[in-house]
């Protein structure tokens, strides 16, 4: 997966969780970034399930995610993050445990 979960709140789609060293983390995404576009398509008025579907479609390929990143209470930047799943840092499972899989968008 891409290593992040989104949550829909206040009419927007926001990064809720971000896995360390995941493709999303390495692309510079941050918790609380607001997703506004996926591969050039505006997602602000789309339902949560549709946004997740758009992110997961074509898994294995990179995704261009347009986010609004809140720098402070009064300042935000709109940035495009290109998430490349081939750039993930391999994670090893602890002895006797299993590695949690992350589908990237729920």
């Amino acid at each position: 997966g891409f290593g992040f979960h989104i949550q829909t709140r206040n009419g927007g789609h926001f990064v809720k969780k971000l896995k360390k060293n995941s493709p999303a983390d390495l692309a510079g995404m941050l918790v609380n970034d607001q997703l506004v576009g996926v591969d050039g398509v505006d997602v602000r008025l789309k339902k949560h399930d549709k946004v997740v579907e758009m992110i997961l479609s074509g898994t294995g390929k990179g995704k261009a995610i347009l986010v609004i990143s809140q720098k402070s209470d009064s300042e935000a930047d709109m940035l495009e993050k290109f998430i490349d799943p081939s750039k993930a840092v391999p994670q090893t499972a602890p002895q006797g445990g299993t590695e949690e899989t992350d589908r990237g968008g729920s």
Side-chain angles (χ1 to χ4, degrees):
F2 294 115
F4 70 102
H5 291 265
I6 62 171
Q7 176 182 43
T8 301
R9 65 176 194 266
N10 302 324
H13 309 287
F14 296 86
V15 176
K16 176 182 169 186
K17 291 182 185 176
L18 188 64
K19 189 173 182 179
K20 186 176 170 90
N21 294 323
S22 68
D25 182 32
L26 297 174
M29 289 185 77
L30 302 170
V31 171
N32 292 321
D33 277 357
Q34 181 180 2
L35 278 70
V36 294
V38 175
D39 288 337
V41 177
D42 188 332
V43 298
R44 288 176 281 194
L45 298 177
K46 298 206 179 293
K47 294 187 183 237
H48 177 87
D49 292 344
K50 181 63 178 172
V51 176
V52 171
E53 180 183 310
M54 291 172 69
I55 293 168
L56 293 177
S57 69
T59 299
K61 300 176 186 174
K63 288 285 170 185
I65 309 285
L66 186 63
V67 300
I68 296 175
S69 192
Q70 197 72 33
K71 292 172 68 174
S72 68
D73 287 341
S74 61
E75 189 177 353
D77 285 333
M78 189 173 290
L79 307 165
E80 186 169 61
K81 309 287 184 168
F82 184 76
I83 302 173
D84 184 350
S86 69
K87 302 279 192 228
V89 175
Q91 301 290 316
T92 55
Q95 286 288 0
T98 59
E99 186 173 347
E100 182 176 308
T101 57
D102 178 13
R103 301 279 307 168
S106 58

